[in-house]
Amino acid sequence: MKFYYAPGTVSVAAAYLLEDTGLSYDPQLVDFKSSAQTSPDYLAINPKARVPALVTDAGILTETGAILEYVASRVPDRALVPADAWQAAQMRSVMYYLASTVHVNHAHKHRGHRWATQQSSFDDMTAKVPETMAAACRFMEDNWPLSPFVLGNEMSLADPYLFTICTWLEGDGVAIADYPKLAAHFAMMSARPAAAALRDKGITR
């Protein structure tokens, strides 16, 4: 499989899972600094001009949640999607919140052009990011088990997703230490071999 990523983006979540599961993949850097995501070659892979993208024998897959689910299906023995229907729904509830609320909060810092055209609007959105990200952290701290994994005792697809979101907090003006359960989860996920492998490959810091 070929996996297209950019450091510091949500693509880290899928890269983390690929490393954690031990599946073989070929990482392909999409250099955002040179706008490689808008190049004709990359647009042929992902017309959305975003990462991640996973090239498989069956075709090309995009969107973080979909890629995480596909990777999990390749290693059913890991039970990364809970067998219990309620727990599986809880996992997806976490992932959808991270995708539709927290990621969007974060994107207002540098991606204001997606929603507005005036510089004053961009500045206002950027200024709001520490507040909205802190509010999301408070919600997660108060409402998710995080003991030690997102759902409790077992790792699920929600964990590499949350780990990736937490790598953004310092840059977003949020002190993770203010949220002890989140901080403990981030420290645990950072200490796993998968995180070390990502650092070695330059996929994350």
Side-chain angles (χ1 to χ4, degrees):
M1 296 184 292
K2 284 188 176 181
F3 178 71
Y4 290 82
Y5 75 94
T9 70
V10 74
S11 62
V12 169
Y16 190 111
L17 193 67
L18 286 164
E19 291 290 345
D20 200 81
T21 57
L23 291 175
S24 177
Y25 74 102
D26 180 14
Q28 301 286 315
L29 172 64
V30 181
D31 184 8
F32 278 25
K33 292 180 180 178
S34 63
S35 298
Q37 73 273 25
T38 61
S39 68
D41 286 347
Y42 187 67
L43 289 175
I45 294 165
N46 186 358
K48 302 169 191 173
R50 298 187 186 182
V51 290
L54 184 69
V55 180
T56 76
D57 290 341
I60 299 171
L61 191 60
T62 62
E63 298 299 331
T64 298
I67 292 173
L68 291 174
E69 296 257 10
Y70 177 74
V71 171
S73 74
R74 298 285 299 272
V75 285
D77 56 303
R78 286 288 305 276
L80 291 163
V81 176
D84 178 78
W86 176 254
Q87 283 294 95
Q90 290 298 306
M91 178 199 76
R92 293 186 176 100
S93 177
V94 167
M95 292 168 64
Y96 297 158
Y97 178 73
L98 294 175
S100 66
T101 299
V102 190
H103 192 169
V104 174
N105 290 348
H106 168 75
H108 276 70
K109 184 171 65 175
H110 294 307
R111 302 287 185 265
H113 61 271
R114 294 177 182 170
W115 301 280
T117 56
Q118 301 297 321
Q119 184 61 48
S120 59
S121 299
F122 302 157
D123 294 342
D124 194 30
M125 282 187 275
T126 298
K128 189 78 171 176
V129 168
E131 178 185 337
T132 58
M133 290 297 282
C137 287
R138 175 49 56 196
F139 171 80
M140 295 185 285
E141 180 82 4
D142 292 347
N143 290 279
W144 296 350
L146 297 168
S147 58
F149 295 102
V150 169
L151 298 180
N153 292 328
E154 302 296 332
M155 179 174 160
S156 74
L157 300 184
D159 291 287
Y161 213 143
L162 179 58
F163 164 80
T164 301
I165 295 288
C166 286
T167 65
W168 301 341
L169 294 180
E170 182 179 359
D172 287 347
V174 177
I176 196 171
D178 292 342
Y179 310 91
K181 289 163 60 180
L182 273 181
H185 179 272
F186 184 60
M188 174 189 66
M189 295 296 288
S190 297
R192 291 175 70 91
L198 293 183
R199 291 190 290 269
D200 289 344
K201 292 178 179 179
I203 295 176
T204 191
R205 290 181 295 174

